[in-house]
Amino acid sequence: MIRKLIHFSDTHEAAALEDWRAFFDKRIVGFLNSRVIRKTRYDRSRIAPAVAMMLAEKPDAIFFTGDAVSCGQPGEFARALPFFEPILNSEIPFFYTPGNHDAYVKDPVCAEAFRNFTRTMTRGQAAPEDYPFAVDLEGFRVLLLNCARPTALVSSCGFLPEKAKAFLKKEAERFKTKPVICAGHFPILERMPVRRFRHRLYGARVASEMILDGVIDLSLCGHVHKPYEVLDSTGRGEISAGSLTKYGFYSRILYDTESGIFTLERVPVGKE
């Protein structure tokens, strides 16, 4: 039997400065990044056809590993949500993990908008504080992480909370009966720790050891906008979907239950 997973990430709804407080926190940086650096490089017209293509594939599950927005503001979440509603209204299991741009600032209005968005994206099952948690599908056990929190002005780092470390250690003690998929925004298997010190996931050692030891079969992430993968001969390891709106790809992951092999395919997306 062939099982199918779909994975995409980093759609980044464009930023707008929605109130005067944005001029005095990290939102001003995110706004300039969104409106100047990313303005001509990211194309959100790819999202709707990508979602239609994903649904047409009728996968066993769809994963979105965060950064739906740019500055974590209510208007951005409101504009981003309709893109995901066709998936949310389907019967396909859908898993969302928050990105650093979703949990961008401590502003109470933004924090509440992020919390409401997370609840909607999890079909009412979880708020940001409810991560980590596990979901059992027929063919996989899924572990969901939230390593995003507001950080310093020039930092895009993630932090694996102590609660998540304890959760993963407990998972490692479980009797394993099916492949384990771990989803989170930040890469766990860091390839460039010196170059990416402002963007890395701190505290990831317990998770990386679980991947290397085969406890976690596949880590799905985003954050790094160029798609890449770190996989062994059986297709196990880590897959970064990259930014759907920048590079125009989502990941199709096939699992052959007889051979136990994962196969990754990058699916190009046209525009509306």
Side-chain angles (χ1 to χ4, degrees), residues 184-255:
H185 181 66
F186 298 89
I188 294 171
L189 299 180
E190 184 55 70
R191 302 179 303 162
M192 300 174 288
V194 176
R195 179 180 173 186
R196 285 179 36 79
F197 76 96
R198 293 190 303 108
H199 304 273
R200 66 179 299 184
L201 175 62
Y202 286 92
R205 181 175 178 180
V206 61
S208 63
E209 289 178 348
M210 288 173 68
I211 298 172
L212 297 175
D213 291 342
V215 178
I216 293 174
D217 293 271
L218 206 54
S219 166
L220 305 180
C221 65
H223 196 47
V224 178
H225 286 189
K226 186 174 182 179
Y228 75 90
E229 62 276 352
V230 181
L231 303 173
D232 66 15
S233 60
T234 68
R236 286 167 169 79
E238 184 163 74
I239 296 171
S240 173
S243 171
L244 173 65
T245 49
K246 182 176 183 180
Y247 287 96
F249 290 90
Y250 66 81
S251 300
R252 177 192 295 134
I253 302 158
L254 305 177
Y255 177 65

Side-chain angles (χ1 to χ4, degrees), residues 38-53:
R38 293 177 177 167
K39 183 177 181 180
T40 60
R41 301 179 186 178
Y42 292 72
D43 188 347
R44 290 183 302 283
S45 71
R46 292 185 169 117
I47 303 175
V51 166
M53 291 170 63

Side-chain angles (χ1 to χ4, degrees), residues 73-86:
Q73 300 177 110
E76 295 175 34
F77 286 122
R79 293 192 300 275
L81 184 59
F83 288 117
F84 307 108
E85 286 177 342

Side-chain angles (χ1 to χ4, degrees), residues 117-140:
F117 182 76
T118 302
R119 279 205 172 276
T120 302
M121 292 290 279
T122 59
R123 293 171 169 144
Q125 297 303 304
E129 64 270 20
D130 296 322
Y131 292 75
F133 61 93
V135 177
D136 277 301
L137 301 178
E138 184 176 351
F140 304 98

Side-chain angles (χ1 to χ4, degrees), residues 14-18 22-23 25-39 70-71 73 76 101 104:
L17 297 180
E18 298 182 13
F23 289 93
D25 64 22
K26 194 175 180 179
R27 280 175 284 179
I28 189 65
V29 177
F31 171 79
L32 293 174
N33 191 14
S34 174
R35 292 294 184 173
V36 178
I37 298 175
R38 293 177 177 167
K39 183 177 181 180
S70 294
C71 295
Q73 300 177 110
E76 295 175 34
H101 283 267
Y104 204 57

